Amino acid sequence: MRELRNGTKIIGIDHGYGNIKTANTVTLTGITAYTNEPTFSGNILKYDGMYYRIGEGHKPFIADKVTDNDFYLFTLAAIARELSQQGLTEADVHIAAGLPLTWVKTQREDFRSYLTRNGEVQFAFKDKPYHINIIGCTVYPQGYTAVLDKLSEMNGVNMLADIGNGTMNIMYINNKKPVESKCYTEKQGVNQCVIAAKNAVMDKLGVKIEDTIIEQVIRNGSADISEKYLDCITNAVREYCSDIFETLRKYEYNPDLMRLYVTGGGGSIIRNFGEYDERRVTVINDICATAKGYEQLAYMTLRKKADNA
């Protein structure tokens, strides 16, 4: 969270299909609604007479995030979690968010309107009341912001692969500048890897396996399961990883001629299962890097605007 001189809090939110990230928090992108207060405590959001458990279940992939109210509710929870880092329950908030590279032009205004549809918002999160004023929103290309601190080293030709849960966004960054005409989005996110691994276990071993086990293998390269299951999952993840590099080659990735930067949750797949030259491939391990980048860009823009006013 960044703060302007007038007290406005800039909160970067990376609205992923797997996790909602702020600069300091990560929350699973899942939601379950209740008409009455749930029995068990947790990440409970109370808003507009309803209760929502944030982080339970899994949000299906939808190409347009304004289709339902879920991402708005995720936003309120993310703001609350970030404000709570500084013990705040009231604030004027400017949201800094993002969309996939090739969708940002067509969906930016709708997403901005969606996130700012209520200027003054009152809700409760984890039994704590919040009163916020959403006074603005800036929407940036997803992924690019995660490598802002790496731009100084991006001489020559570079490729950025932002592998999220739902999509993989690809961008060329040549001599420190993004190439707008060479941005691509593929529906090849981590969830596709999870589905492939689940199907492999079912086909080969006849067992339905929990997503959490596969996600643990993806993150850590292993899990506390028997060898036959681990081998089955590992083979499926390696095949997915190979497919990722095949897609990058489709967009003319050549490790001899360019450097590759990988960000997003899928970075752990590349790190744990990929075959690559570590001298020419950089995996960004900070899952909150994109949200931090949104904040940095918004802070610079808003501060410059205020200085020139």
Side-chain angles (χ1 to χ4, degrees):
M1 181 166 60
R2 307 289 292 270
E3 183 174 346
L4 296 173
R5 285 194 292 265
N6 64 4
T8 297
K9 307 296 189 295
I10 301 173
I11 298 181
I13 305 175
D14 182 3
H15 295 84
Y17 291 102
N19 296 284
I20 303 295
K21 286 84 66 179
T22 66
N24 299 289
T25 71
V26 180
T27 309
L28 288 173
T29 307
I31 187 168
T32 303
Y34 303 86
T35 55
N36 298 308
E37 185 173 2
T39 303
F40 299 104
S41 60
N43 290 332
I44 305 298
L45 172 72
K46 182 181 180 182
Y47 174 70
D48 200 22
M50 291 287 292
Y51 296 87
Y52 303 91
R53 186 180 297 278
I54 307 297
E56 181 176 276
H58 176 73
K59 174 68 177 173
F61 175 83
I62 52 173
D64 192 342
K65 294 177 180 177
V66 307
T67 302
D68 56 32
N69 288 325
D70 289 356
F71 279 99
Y72 182 77
L73 298 171
F74 292 141
T75 298
L76 297 183
I79 290 172
R81 293 202 67 194
E82 191 66 21
L83 289 176
S84 70
Q85 299 289 309
Q86 296 188 13
L88 300 174
T89 58
E90 297 186 11
D92 292 336
V93 174
H94 182 99
I95 299 171
L99 288 168
L101 298 171
T102 57
W103 301 351
V104 69
K105 279 187 177 181
T106 58
Q107 296 184 14
R108 174 184 276 143
E109 291 309 316
D110 285 345
F111 196 43
R112 194 202 320 266
S113 297
Y114 172 84
L115 295 176
T116 60
R117 60 186 179 184
N118 299 310
E120 182 179 6
V121 189
Q122 296 187 57
F123 60 94
F125 186 69
K126 299 183 72 170
D127 294 325
K128 188 179 294 185
Y130 287 85
H131 184 179
I132 64 173
N133 294 305
I134 300 177
I135 61 174
C137 175
T138 311
V139 181
Y140 297 102
Q142 188 174 303
Y144 166 67
T145 57
V147 295
L148 287 180
D149 61 343
K150 303 288 186 183
L151 287 181
S152 61
E153 64 189 49
M154 290 189 179
N155 298 308
V157 179
N158 304 272
M159 176 178 278
L160 168 66
D162 175 22
I163 309 172
N165 194 67
T167 60
M168 176 171 67
N169 293 286
I170 301 165
M171 170 188 280
Y172 275 82
I173 301 175
N174 295 350
N175 292 320
K176 307 173 186 177
K177 295 182 180 180
V179 182
E180 189 169 352
S181 62
K182 301 189 76 173
C183 296
Y184 315 96
T185 297
E186 292 277 346
K187 190 176 182 297
Q188 200 173 0
V190 175
N191 190 51
Q192 301 301 311
C193 178
V194 173
I195 292 172
K198 289 178 69 174
N199 290 341
V201 172
M202 176 60 73
D203 292 344
K204 295 179 181 179
L205 302 172
V207 174
K208 182 177 180 180
I209 195 167
E210 293 285 341
D211 290 7
T212 52
I213 295 175
I214 298 170
E215 289 163 359
Q216 186 178 5
V217 174
I218 288 172
R219 285 194 303 271
N220 304 319
S222 186
D224 186 17
I225 56 178
S226 68
E227 186 175 348
K228 64 178 180 179
Y229 289 100
L230 182 59
D231 287 345
C232 186
I233 294 170
T234 297
N235 289 336
V237 176
R238 284 191 177 128
E239 185 174 346
Y240 166 85
C241 190
S242 178
D243 290 343
I244 287 290
F245 279 99
E246 184 64 30
T247 298
L248 297 181
R249 285 191 290 271
K250 182 177 75 172
Y251 293 108
E252 300 181 347
Y253 169 60
N254 186 329
D256 294 327
L257 299 176
M258 62 189 69
R259 294 186 180 274
L260 174 65
Y261 292 80
V262 183
T263 186
S268 58
I269 295 177
I270 304 301
R271 184 178 63 250
N272 292 324
F273 300 96
E275 296 182 4
Y276 59 90
D277 184 349
E278 294 183 4
R279 296 170 299 177
R280 300 192 62 78
V281 177
T282 300
V283 179
I284 309 297
N285 294 316
D286 185 0
I287 194 174
C288 297
T290 293
K292 292 174 182 176
Y294 293 156
E295 282 187 6
Q296 181 180 343
L297 285 181
Y299 177 76
M300 293 168 58
T301 299
L302 295 172
R303 189 179 67 174
K304 183 177 180 181
K305 183 177 180 181
D307 291 343
N308 294 334

